[in-house]
Amino acid sequence: MGEEERVSLFYSAMDNLPFEDDTHDIAMSVSVLEHTTNYSRILSEMRRVLRPGGFLLLSFDVALRGDAQISVDDAEELLRVVQEVGFEEVQDGAGGRLREAVRREEEILTSTWAIARDPHANPWRSWEEARHLTVYCSVFRSTKSRSHAE
């Protein structure tokens, strides 16, 4: 594997990434963004370091009953901000399925369902922390050059 093909891991504040503008093809946030308070600043920073047409892989936990970190309303706000800073969902309409998931809860995978079938499947320290969560996961593509997104 050549040096240019290597993957590098780093530690940084999400709202101040240590990279030049337009230098990456993919940014990823897996079950982290819902634990922050400034979605716009963090997502704008991810957009800044992505090349035009770059991809954002995003997942976050959603509390279907609104009793944990991010409610369905908060998740919809986060998805609105994703679009506002210059991303579009690659699979059209996936974000719109969030509200529908609440109505058809029995059709989606939740922490409650998984733990009822196998108590060892619980990644949280206690059952109380799980609180009937599901995971929203999607891929977004940057749609604007930075100068238009800001």
Side-chain angles (χ1 to χ4, degrees), residues 8-137:
S8 298
L9 300 177
F10 66 95
Y11 175 82
S12 170
M14 293 175 72
D15 62 353
N16 189 21
L17 299 173
F19 303 111
E20 298 293 321
D21 295 357
D22 303 325
T23 54
H24 289 77
D25 296 314
I26 299 172
M28 199 165 122
S29 174
V30 178
S31 295
V32 173
L33 204 52
E34 70 270 26
H35 302 287
T36 68
T37 57
N38 194 344
Y39 302 149
S40 182
R41 176 70 188 130
I42 292 167
L43 289 163
S44 292
E45 186 67 357
M46 289 181 179
R47 173 62 197 97
R48 179 188 69 77
V49 302
L50 284 174
R51 291 183 178 103
F55 292 96
L56 169 65
L57 284 65
L58 177 64
S59 77
F60 53 87
D61 301 332
V62 180
L64 295 179
R65 297 180 183 155
D67 58 352
Q69 186 74 31
I70 186 168
S71 68
V72 174
D73 290 341
D74 292 338
E76 288 177 337
E77 172 64 12
L78 191 158
L79 291 171
R80 186 193 63 71
V81 173
V82 168
Q83 290 180 339
E84 184 180 276
V85 301
F87 290 101
E88 68 180 356
E89 209 156 8
V90 171
Q91 181 180 0
D92 288 340
R97 289 195 307 258
L98 220 80
R99 185 63 62 188
E100 187 63 24
V102 175
R103 287 192 282 270
R104 294 189 341 259
E105 192 174 303
E106 69 282 353
E107 297 177 20
I108 62 174
L109 179 63
T110 65
S111 55
T112 304
W113 180 90
I115 294 166
R117 278 143 189 82
D118 179 2
H120 301 291
N122 183 4
W124 296 274
R125 285 172 278 173
S126 73
W127 171 245
E128 288 303 312
E129 291 180 42
R131 299 181 196 241
H132 201 66
L133 303 176
T134 193
V135 175
Y136 176 87
C137 186

